[in-house]
Amino acid sequence: MAAYLARVYVSLKPTVNDPQGNTIADGLRSLGFGEVGGVRAGKYIEVRLTAASAEEARGRIDAMCDKLLANPIIETYRFEVEDQPGG
Amino acid sequence: MAAYLARVYVSLKPTVNDPQGNTIADGLRSLGFGEVGGVRAGKYIEVRLTAASAEEARGRIDAMCDKLLANPIIETYRFEVEDQPGG
């Protein structure tokens, strides 16, 4: 078994309203960043796991996203898996 | 002025306790993902903005991170800026 680090990015689908992102955009503009056109807020999750191969790790992370990390009704996700030599 | 999309990743510093990440790790393990070693939860923020150049956009995003998007006491951030042809 080898150690892997997965970086998972979860975003709201483009059609879903994002009050948190709107609040961040308003805050940035009121701080003087008037060039901000829009903000979308999502989640960034790092998962450390062991697996027999990088391909197996990708399959397991995909299952974790479907079951817990993302809500497939309103969110999309993407991820990268990298080797972690030494765990 | 050109349009840019910045992808900002905000993480807790490694020494900072992360109860949200621990809860996600426990949830994954109880769903049958016993191979999970640890989880860190952070934020993923997309900012659309206009700037005279990609370099100027990077400088502005850096300032936004310092002032609002990240808490430098407990968080680190990194970002990428890409051109958005057509806005």
Side-chain angles (χ1 to χ4, degrees), chain A residues 3 6 11 14 22 31 34-35 66-67 69 73:
Chain A
S11 307
N22 294 342
L31 284 172
E35 72 267 44
D66 281 337
K67 285 199 180 159
L69 301 180
I73 308 293

Side-chain angles (χ1 to χ4, degrees), chain A:
Chain A
M1 301 292 271
Y4 296 93
L5 168 64
R7 302 177 195 276
V8 180
Y9 312 99
V10 180
S11 307
L12 285 170
K13 290 183 182 176
T15 53
V16 177
N17 191 29
D18 180 6
Q20 187 188 2
N22 294 342
T23 301
I24 293 171
D26 289 345
L28 287 170
R29 289 185 199 115
S30 72
L31 284 172
F33 298 104
E35 72 267 44
V36 169
V39 173
R40 301 288 287 177
K43 288 174 284 184
Y44 167 53
I45 305 166
E46 293 182 347
V47 181
R48 283 172 175 73
L49 74 162
T50 54
S53 68
E55 181 144 357
E56 182 188 294
R58 279 191 285 273
R60 295 292 282 174
I61 291 290
D62 204 46
M64 291 178 204
C65 288
D66 281 337
K67 285 199 180 159
L68 185 79
L69 301 180
N71 176 346
I73 308 293
I74 58 169
E75 293 174 327
T76 59
Y77 63 85
R78 64 191 167 85
F79 61 85
E80 306 147 6
V81 170
E82 67 182 50
D83 290 5
Q84 284 275 286

